[in-house]
Amino acid sequence: WLLTAFEPFGGATTNASREVLSQLPARLGDLELRTATLPVAYERVFDAFLEHFRDEAFAGVLLLGEAKGRRQLSLERYAHNLKNTLQADNDGRRFEEAPIRAGGPAAHATPLSLRPLLDALWREGIPAGISHDAGGYVCNTLYYQVLDYLQTNEPSIPALFVHVPATPAQAAGNAAYSSLSTDLAKRGVEVLIQAMRAQTTAL
């Protein structure tokens, strides 16, 4: 399985998704986990993903990103064909109402059924919910490009994007941020991988 996270952005020195990634084991039961940190850059992120994805045959892809305003792990159902944010990426680029792929579908949906994944997280007491909006920043851009690529080239490989809240250290002193401990987020990712695997092998 391939798991990705993002580098820090917006002047921050940490990224909650990368913190989770750094805590994951190399193996989860009989599953080998490969991890990669990707750039927060609209024009470079997908090529960076492909560099890792093409290394070997993966059974599934789990993409992680940071969303400091979220209170729980957010399982993203859709990626929209839209780049739209006032915040510049780490290359200094920003977009307003711009398509990710001109002429592409307005949105792509993960092929996974999200409710069983959510139930698996809830059984473990992990705060989680389903989201229908991955935003307009680099997270959504990567998700759209990955789903677009897999549907055409590797339709049997499932992919899911999950937004992770800020770490407690990131949220300290900022009332606008919610937080989730890295340990709990890490456990949530492990539960998700197992639940995704069970669902895909049953298809």
Side-chain angles (χ1 to χ4, degrees):
W1 282 67
L2 177 61
L3 292 87
T4 72
F6 282 103
E7 66 186 1
F9 64 97
T13 57
T14 60
N15 186 303
S17 68
R18 190 175 69 172
E19 294 300 305
V20 173
L21 205 70
S22 70
Q23 298 298 315
L24 289 170
R27 297 192 70 86
L28 186 60
D30 63 340
L31 296 179
E32 182 179 357
L33 307 183
R34 298 288 297 275
T35 61
T37 299
L38 303 179
V40 180
Y42 287 107
E43 304 303 316
R44 294 188 290 120
V45 66
F46 184 58
D47 285 342
F49 167 84
L50 285 180
E51 286 180 10
H52 297 281
F53 181 78
R54 288 172 173 164
D55 280 348
E56 60 182 84
F58 292 103
V61 174
L62 183 58
L63 311 167
L64 304 178
E66 175 187 279
K68 294 187 180 78
R70 308 278 181 108
R71 298 179 177 274
Q72 56 192 2
L73 295 181
S74 294
L75 283 56
E76 300 293 348
R77 187 180 300 279
Y78 299 111
H80 299 278
N81 190 10
L82 180 68
K83 293 182 285 189
N84 184 43
T85 180
L86 295 177
Q87 182 173 10
D89 67 8
N90 283 353
D91 289 343
R93 304 203 64 179
R94 58 172 57 88
F95 293 90
E96 182 178 349
E97 301 291 336
I100 296 167
R101 179 163 75 85
H108 286 300
T110 176
L112 293 158
S113 296
L114 296 187
R115 186 52 194 259
L117 305 183
L118 187 64
D119 289 342
L121 291 166
W122 285 352
R123 284 194 296 270
E124 294 292 323
I126 297 165
I130 295 171
S131 168
H132 294 152
D133 186 358
Y137 200 44
V138 181
C139 291
N140 176 75
T141 293
L142 174 66
Y143 197 21
Y144 185 91
Q145 290 173 315
V146 168
L147 290 176
D148 197 58
Y149 176 86
L150 292 178
Q151 286 184 12
T152 300
N153 299 281
E154 300 282 359
S156 65
I157 299 178
L160 177 66
F161 195 102
V162 176
H163 270 117
V164 179
T167 67
Q170 288 176 310
N174 193 322
Y177 295 169
S178 299
S179 68
L180 188 68
S181 74
T182 299
D183 285 345
L184 194 56
K186 166 184 168 286
R187 177 58 185 150
V189 168
E190 293 172 342
V191 170
L192 271 176
I193 294 168
Q194 296 286 21
M196 289 170 66
R197 182 196 194 190
Q199 187 176 136
T200 55
T201 55
L203 295 177

